[in-house]
């Protein structure tokens, strides 16, 4: 029988993962091993010219041609074209049903959903993917500093072949996602993935959820991965079936959510539990917290102005702009 430890979120401070562990957690490494137990996906090599475009700090233009003018000049910006890569991506998207969830070797652009239509990571085209990727710090981290928090910094960085991962779009309810921590091939802890929200069904189905995840781990994951210390994310659907979503290194590079890395690595109470893993989740509305991804968003007023969603803000902005121009004209006129 599973008993839960219901505590608040804590932060870890230990660099425990190694570069080899990070390499093993690339999607293209673990997907062939667990293909039967996860969402159908396709993997495409990422050309160097696409990588260069994603890292370019210039104007964000993902498709077509744009022009804007001031009093003296007209500027034209045309999005770069990648015809061969575009064709392969569209073919893959169509093969996956026309809607996909994109990511790179490790990360998805979860911090950039604010810029997408309906704040969704669902993509139908390469331009949709580019918009998310070029707006994401998580993607930039993958491309520039994937080994930043590894403990073996003195060793040379492994060569990485970057890939675009397209996953068949699935409507996953955040309350069904859980993060699982494995140490020495033993499942020691489970955390609610979306810890900022309270989900009553987790409270009601605590024992069933914990048992289902344990059985999934022992039957399909345990001893099958390349490392004995790792973190994996799962989704438990409405029928009670558990699906593998992702694998991550066991260390600070991975968010410990409702645990701390000190707890997970100290050999204390959590590691010593024999019967079942510690299971933590948000237990009431009182402990609900803001989403950590909110810090990546731009101000709501700016979004309203740029999209025209709030007509009154737009009118006020135009009035202010007109008043400023009139003031400038008065100051520049001869006295």
């Amino acid at each position: 029988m599973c008993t839960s430890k219901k505590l608040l979120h804590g932060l870890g401070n230990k660099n425990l993962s190694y570069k080899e562990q990070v390499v093993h957690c690339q999607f293209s490494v673990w997907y062939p091993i667990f293909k039967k137990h996860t969402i159908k996906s396709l993997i495409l090599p990422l050309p160097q010219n696409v990588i260069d475009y994603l890292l370019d700090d210039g104007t964000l233009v993902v498709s077509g041609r744009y022009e804007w003018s001031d009093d003296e000049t007209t500027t034209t910006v045309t999005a770069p074209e990648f015809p061969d890569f575009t064709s392969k991506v569209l073919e893959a998207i169509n093969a996956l049903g026309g809607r996909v969830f994109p990511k790179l070797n490790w990360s998805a652009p979860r911090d950039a959903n604010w810029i997408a239509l309906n704040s969704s990571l669902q993509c139908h085209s390469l331009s949709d993917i580019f918009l998310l990727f070029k707006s994401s710090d998580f993607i930039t981290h993958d491309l520039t500093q994937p080994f930043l928090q590894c403990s073996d910094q003195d060793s040379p960085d492994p060569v990485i072949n970057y890939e675009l991962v397209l996953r068949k779009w699935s409507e996953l309810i955040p309350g069904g996602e859980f993060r699982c921590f494995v140490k020495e091939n033993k499942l020691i802890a489970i955390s609610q993935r979306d810890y900022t929200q309270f989900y009553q069904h987790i409270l009601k189905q605590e024992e069933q959820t914990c048992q289902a995840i344990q059985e999934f781990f022992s039957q399909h994951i345990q001893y099958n991965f390349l490392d004995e210390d790792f973190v994996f994310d799962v989704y438990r659907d409405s029928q009670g079936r558990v699906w593998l979503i992702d694998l991550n290194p066991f260390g600070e590079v991975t968010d410990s959510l409702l645990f701390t890395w000190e707890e997970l690595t100290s050999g204390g109470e959590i590691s010593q539990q024999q019967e079942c893993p510690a299971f933590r989740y948000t237990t009431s509305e009182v402990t609900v917290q803001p989403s950590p991804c909110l810090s990546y968003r731009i101000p709501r007023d700016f979004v309203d102005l740029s999209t025209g969603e709030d007509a009154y803000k737009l009118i006020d902005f135009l009035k202010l702009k007109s008043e400023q121009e009139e003031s400038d004209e008065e100051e520049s006129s001869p006295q």
Side-chain angles (χ1 to χ4, degrees):
M1 179 177 182
C2 287
T3 56
S4 65
K5 299 260 183 175
K6 306 166 184 176
L7 303 178
L8 295 179
H9 178 61
L11 297 176
N13 58 1
K14 291 196 174 182
N15 295 326
L16 296 165
S17 56
Y18 295 93
K19 293 179 181 179
E20 184 181 46
Q21 290 177 297
V22 175
V23 170
H24 290 168
C25 288
Q26 291 181 98
F27 187 87
S28 59
V29 174
W30 67 258
Y31 181 69
I33 303 172
F34 303 111
K35 188 175 181 179
K36 294 181 180 179
H37 310 293
T38 189
I39 298 169
K40 182 179 179 181
S41 306
L42 293 173
I43 304 168
L44 301 174
L46 203 61
Q48 185 59 49
N49 59 348
V50 174
I51 295 174
D52 294 340
Y53 167 65
L54 292 176
L55 292 175
D56 180 19
D57 289 333
T59 304
L60 177 57
V61 179
V62 296
S63 64
R65 179 182 178 185
Y66 295 86
E67 292 186 358
W68 64 91
S69 304
D70 56 26
D71 293 338
E72 298 180 356
T73 61
T74 298
T75 303
T76 302
V77 177
T78 303
E81 296 181 354
F82 311 99
D84 293 340
F85 183 63
T86 301
S87 177
K88 293 176 182 178
V89 170
L90 290 178
E91 183 179 349
I93 291 175
N94 290 332
L96 293 171
R99 300 182 300 163
V100 297
F101 175 88
K103 62 180 295 181
L104 287 187
N105 301 42
W106 298 279
S107 303
R110 295 180 181 275
D111 57 325
N113 66 340
W114 56 269
I115 202 170
L117 184 65
N118 297 326
S119 296
S120 171
L121 297 181
Q122 181 183 136
C123 293
H124 301 84
S125 66
L126 183 57
S127 60
D128 291 344
I129 297 169
F130 279 164
L131 181 64
L132 291 171
F133 279 14
K134 284 184 70 68
S135 306
S136 171
D137 289 344
F138 295 173
I139 295 299
T140 301
H141 177 272
D142 268 18
L143 293 173
T144 59
Q145 298 177 313
F147 306 108
L148 179 63
Q149 291 181 295
C150 293
S151 57
D152 52 342
Q153 287 296 317
D154 292 337
S155 65
D157 287 350
V159 176
I160 298 299
N161 296 314
Y162 283 100
E163 299 157 334
L164 171 63
V165 176
L166 300 176
R167 313 207 70 185
K168 184 180 177 64
W169 179 260
S170 301
E171 296 289 349
L172 303 184
I173 300 170
E177 295 183 80
F178 300 90
R179 173 154 290 178
C180 310
F181 301 86
V182 178
K183 186 176 182 182
E184 298 177 354
N185 272 315
K186 176 187 175 183
L187 180 59
I188 62 171
I190 302 171
S191 173
Q192 175 182 332
R193 186 77 172 85
D194 182 21
Y195 66 86
T196 64
Q197 301 298 317
F198 167 65
Y199 296 98
Q200 192 170 24
H201 72 273
I202 299 179
L203 180 64
K204 292 182 177 179
Q205 301 174 13
E206 174 188 327
E207 185 174 341
Q208 300 96 307
T209 299
C210 186
Q211 183 177 350
I213 293 174
Q214 282 191 91
E215 290 177 355
F216 178 79
F217 171 70
S218 62
Q219 293 173 11
H220 306 300
I221 307 297
Q222 192 174 31
Y223 305 117
N224 290 326
F225 189 51
L226 300 176
D227 297 312
E228 61 176 15
D229 298 343
F230 58 95
V231 179
F232 68 99
D233 294 337
V234 296
Y235 180 76
R236 184 170 184 257
D237 64 24
S238 59
Q239 305 302 313
R241 180 176 177 180
V242 177
W243 300 82
L244 178 63
I245 300 300
D246 206 358
L247 278 118
N248 304 284
F250 189 90
E252 191 184 337
V253 67
T254 301
D255 193 339
S256 57
L257 302 178
L258 290 172
F259 294 91
T260 70
W261 279 112
E262 179 68 30
E263 291 177 294
L264 294 168
T265 59
S266 65
E269 180 183 354
I270 290 176
S271 297
Q272 297 302 319
Q273 289 187 193
Q274 298 297 321
E275 295 184 3
C276 67
F279 184 24
R280 294 182 181 173
Y281 54 91
T282 301
T283 58
S284 72
E285 297 285 359
V286 176
T287 55
V288 167
Q289 306 170 51
S291 168
C293 283
L294 286 176
S295 62
Y296 296 95
R297 298 188 177 190
I298 58 177
R300 181 67 209 180
D301 286 353
F302 185 87
V303 176
D304 289 340
L305 284 174
S306 63
T307 60
E309 287 185 7
D310 191 325
Y312 293 104
K313 287 180 182 176
L314 183 59
I315 291 172
D316 289 341
F317 174 77
L318 293 174
K319 285 182 178 178
L320 178 61
K321 184 67 175 175
S322 177
E323 290 172 358
Q324 288 176 337
E325 290 177 350
E326 289 177 359
S327 177
D328 291 342
E329 288 177 0
E330 290 176 359
E331 291 177 1
S332 60
S333 61
Q335 301 297 319

